[in-house]
Amino acid sequence: MIYEFEGRTEKEAIDRAATELGIEKDEFDVEILETQRSGLFKKGHVRIQVHTDVPVQAKPHSDQNEERPRPVRAVQGSTDDFEKTMVSFVEGLIERMGYAGKVSVLYREEGKLGLKIESEHSSILIGKKGKNLDALQLLANIYAGRQGREDMRIILDSENYRIRREESLVRLAYTVADRVRENRTSILLEPMNPFDRRLIHTTLNDISDVETKSEGEGLYKQVRVYYRGYR
């Protein structure tokens, strides 16, 4: 389920989400939709979107008519069995795409399972801007839910793409911020997935004269970076 919350800071908005939904902070994913720094005559403002499959105990004030999320199904089998199932599923996906590849566990965290794909065709499996990897990851998470593990988020990586992409986006954010401040205008970035957009928002959150806002519909929205007072 998806909910929206607002606050003066990112922390305040996230704390409000946890309190009003009645769940822990590690039980939902956060996407920053808009962030505005505080100023002499202007209060700070952050708008976030919360994604969770955990049953909520309370309704947020802005979504009184929204349907409650369905309960999480009971976990079937051991963690090791689940990991083996997911490794086999992702390897099967790659094989059906016509490529050879090996999948192994990259890391284990509470609520997250990282899987690493090793293949001679990694560049194809990653795709432009990681879109093929994101698609494989989406299918893996859908399959995990069908195994009764809606509580577990599957993260796929190959050739350390996620880390390299994160470093690239941080550099992009600062470069665009410099251009926006120099020209006192706004720049609309390319469509990005929720994780990439959040990285742009948080990277620029501490720059006092630059603000960000997500625009568009669907999974791949665009981030607009603009000079304060431009719009």
Side-chain angles (χ1 to χ4, degrees), residues 9 72 140 143 211 225:
T9 64
V72 176
Y143 185 75
E211 298 178 355
V225 182

Side-chain angles (χ1 to χ4, degrees), residues 8-206:
R8 290 172 297 180
T9 64
E10 180 182 345
K11 182 180 184 300
E12 181 178 294
I14 292 175
D15 288 344
R16 182 172 296 171
T19 299
E20 294 191 13
L21 293 177
I23 57 180
E24 298 297 325
K25 295 178 185 177
D26 60 0
E27 292 180 314
F28 56 78
D29 291 326
V30 176
E31 175 188 350
I32 300 176
L33 298 178
E34 183 177 5
T35 176
Q36 298 178 4
R37 299 290 297 172
S38 59
L40 182 61
F41 301 107
K42 181 179 179 182
K43 293 183 178 180
H45 173 76
V46 175
R47 185 162 61 95
I48 67 172
Q49 196 171 75
V50 169
H51 303 251
T52 182
D53 288 324
V54 177
V56 300
Q57 300 176 18
K59 302 294 287 182
H61 298 315
S62 59
D63 293 302
Q64 294 295 325
N65 297 321
E66 189 169 359
E67 180 184 358
R68 288 181 181 271
R70 54 195 174 92
V72 176
R73 288 178 284 175
V75 174
Q76 301 294 328
S78 68
T79 300
D80 288 343
D81 289 338
F82 173 69
E83 290 180 359
K84 292 176 182 178
T85 297
M86 294 309 306
V87 166
S88 178
F89 174 76
V90 176
E91 285 184 343
L93 280 179
I94 297 171
E95 183 179 351
R96 286 190 286 276
M97 290 173 65
Y99 304 107
K102 179 183 178 182
V103 179
S104 58
V105 175
L106 182 61
Y107 62 84
R108 303 174 181 88
E109 295 179 2
E110 184 176 356
K112 291 183 180 180
L113 174 64
L115 300 180
K116 177 176 65 175
I117 301 174
E118 296 177 278
S119 172
E120 295 179 357
H121 310 281
S122 292
S123 61
I124 297 175
L125 296 176
I126 293 172
K128 185 178 181 181
K129 306 298 183 183
K131 287 190 176 182
N132 290 348
L133 193 62
D134 287 344
L136 289 170
Q137 182 171 287
L138 176 61
L139 291 174
N141 278 280
I142 291 174
Y143 185 75
R146 291 179 178 176
Q147 304 306 303
R149 295 305 304 265
E150 288 120 329
D151 62 317
M152 185 67 69
R153 183 182 178 192
I154 309 301
I155 308 296
L156 299 186
D157 200 0
S158 183
E159 302 288 342
N160 291 322
Y161 170 78
R162 301 291 184 193
I163 295 176
R164 291 188 287 109
R165 174 67 170 167
E166 182 173 333
E167 293 173 346
S168 174
L169 286 173
V170 169
R171 290 195 298 269
L172 172 66
Y174 285 127
T175 298
V176 170
D178 286 341
R179 290 172 56 191
V180 164
R181 297 169 76 185
E182 180 180 355
N183 300 320
R184 300 198 173 191
T185 183
S186 75
I187 295 176
L188 186 64
L189 303 182
E190 66 187 32
M192 299 178 184
N193 63 38
F195 177 83
D196 289 352
R197 292 198 304 274
R198 184 184 184 191
L199 185 59
I200 297 292
H201 288 299
T202 54
T203 298
L204 301 182
N205 192 47
D206 291 331

